[in-house]
Structures are given as C-alpha cells and as structure tokens.
Amino acid sequence: MAHAHDSSSVSPIARAFVEARKRGRALPDYPGNEPTSLAAAYAIQDDAVALWPDLIAGWKLGRVPPPWDVRFGAGRLAGPIFEHQVQTTTEAVFPVIDGGFAAVEAEYVLVLGEDAPNRAGWTSATVADLVSDVRIGMEIAGSPFPGINDHGPAVTASDFGNNQGLILGPSVPDWRGRLERLTCRMEIDGAEAGRGGAMSVPGGPLDSLAFLLNLLHARGRVLEAGQLISTGAATGVHRIFAGQDCRADFGPDGSLSARAVAWGADG
C-alpha cells in the first residue's frame, strides 16, 4: 500500500537511517530525539519505507520483553522485510555494517495464501486459514545504530524493526499437525548459541501473525498473498560479526547456513 508523503514533512530520523543503510555507515548515536511511543516509532518507520527503493516482501515480528511490554502496551513489534534482502539459498552471504548492529535468529516463516481481509480483531485461531505454507528461515537483524536494542521497543521499531534481511528455507511438511512440536538450534562458528522451537515464540507463530494483522490494520496497511511473516526468534537473538559463520538447524526440516561479511565485500 503506497503512502503519499510531502517531502518536507518526512522524519529526519527516517532520512538518516535510510541514508546510513544505503551507504553501509554506522550511526554511533540515535539520529534525533528517541520516539517515546510505538505510534511515533511506526510513523518514522512509515516515512523510511516510503524513502526506501524497494518493495515490501513481508514483515518481521520481534518480542518486546518485560518491563518494556507493559510500558509500551505491546508484547511485539514489527518491521518490514524488503524484496531484495530475501535470499532463497541454504548457503547465504549477508553484509554487516562496521560499527553497527547485526544478529541472526532462527525463525519460522509463514507464507500468506491470500490477501488478508482488512479488519481488526484477529486471533491465532482466526488467522490459521490465511496461511498456505510454513518455511524454515533465518532473520538477519541489523541496524546502522549499534544501540538499536538497548533503548526500548520504540527505538527498535523506528529503524525497520532492526531488520536487514531474511534467508528463506524449504517448507515444513505437515506443519498444521506438527507446529507445536517443531524445534531448532543455532550455531555460530560451530558452537551452539541457542536452542528452542516454534513455541518459544510467545503464543506461537500464529499469534505473531494475528498481532501483525491487527497492527497493520491500525496503521492503514494490508497484508497480501505471497507475503512472508517472520514470526520471531525461536532460539534467541545472536550477535554476529563480519567473518563469522552461522547455521540454523531445524532437524528433519533442514538447515540454513550463512556467512557475515563486511559491508561492500559481497559485491
């Protein structure tokens, strides 16, 4: 859904983040006054989406931990995933900004089978029929601002929800019957960094989709057939640096490997 913007009213914070991301340059400090509500953060995010030269392929969800969840009135936050940052390979390479933030997360990715009706009141029970497929995935979290996760959810949400891409793996067979039992683990440079599963995501992956649909409805956006929903970190958020390798192992459902490289080194 396109949003018209008068360029003079575009958030300078959004402009600073977009320029830093385009150039692969770190922002040592937050580029302006930190937003104090999620509504203000999503307004900055919307401005940045309008400035970013790519289409939205889907959305990532991240957990808002205590005590932030009570203070900000939400247990999750969302950010866009852009088409050119989705990789469908089991041996991926991704750039990290020197001096910024980068992390990898094992995720279960829902594929929307139809355009979602534009309404509120979604629950994990009512969203299930919208999902046509579940894929294994790895979210590449990243931001030019190294403190992206240290200042609360509004700061995180304001910079694309700390998303830098998605590695999309194969489908999970018979996911409807197996979702609550799916497990995975993450390795960095061969050492286990975390383990978990689909139910490590609070309420489960379908609850993430319900949250997203309600949020997008409130923001005047829609979710369309074919879009991807990266439902949240199943093993934790694992920092990664240029030169490191990572592997998300989903057991019988496959694994995804990736290497972090210095920004600009991947061509």
Side-chain angles (χ1 to χ4, degrees):
M1 190 180 211
H3 284 235
H5 279 69
D6 166 15
S7 62
S8 64
S9 67
V10 170
S11 161
I13 295 171
R15 208 180 285 284
F17 272 125
V18 166
E19 284 306 307
R21 281 174 172 267
K22 282 182 181 174
R23 295 176 180 174
R25 288 189 189 152
L27 292 170
D29 302 301
Y30 191 81
N33 294 322
E34 296 182 3
T36 55
S37 70
L38 283 168
Y42 289 129
I44 296 167
Q45 186 186 107
D46 282 335
D47 279 358
V49 167
L51 291 170
W52 193 254
D54 199 359
L55 298 172
I56 292 175
W59 297 85
K60 63 79 54 92
L61 283 307
R63 186 178 177 199
V64 177
W68 299 106
D69 56 345
V70 175
R71 183 171 150 196
F72 283 84
R76 286 178 167 89
L77 59 84
I81 301 169
F82 293 100
E83 284 187 356
H84 288 94
Q85 292 179 331
V86 177
Q87 301 184 59
T88 50
T89 172
T90 54
E91 297 283 344
V93 173
F94 63 91
V96 300
I97 296 174
D98 184 39
F101 178 90
V104 288
E105 306 172 14
E107 308 237 351
Y108 295 92
V109 182
L110 310 181
V111 182
L112 213 67
E114 58 188 270
D115 293 353
N118 189 13
R119 59 177 175 82
W122 293 98
T123 67
S124 53
T126 59
V127 298
D129 288 344
L130 296 174
V131 179
S132 61
D133 195 14
V134 173
R135 314 272 292 265
I136 63 170
M138 190 190 301
E139 186 194 353
I140 310 304
S143 171
F145 176 44
I148 187 75
N149 281 349
D150 303 332
H151 297 258
V155 164
T156 305
S158 70
D159 182 31
F160 291 158
N162 193 18
N163 179 262
Q164 189 79 44
L166 177 68
I167 301 164
L168 189 62
S171 298
V172 175
D174 185 32
W175 65 268
R176 288 184 195 276
R178 297 173 57 222
L179 193 59
E180 295 184 0
R181 301 192 305 277
L182 296 175
T183 61
C184 56
R185 55 195 292 276
M186 178 70 84
E187 294 177 358
I188 294 182
D189 286 343
E192 182 171 293
R195 57 171 61 223
M199 300 317 288
S200 303
V201 178
L206 294 175
D207 198 54
S208 289
L209 174 55
F211 173 88
L212 178 66
L213 285 167
N214 292 328
L215 174 68
L216 293 181
H217 176 74
R219 288 172 63 184
R221 291 184 176 274
V222 294
L223 202 53
E224 297 168 354
Q227 286 187 321
L228 309 167
I229 301 92
S230 199
T231 55
T235 67
V237 179
H238 310 293
R239 286 289 310 258
I240 195 165
F241 299 89
Q244 289 190 303
D245 294 291
C246 58
R247 180 171 174 266
D249 181 358
F250 294 84
D253 298 309
S255 65
L256 301 170
S257 296
R259 163 160 270 244
V261 298
W263 198 91
D266 65 336

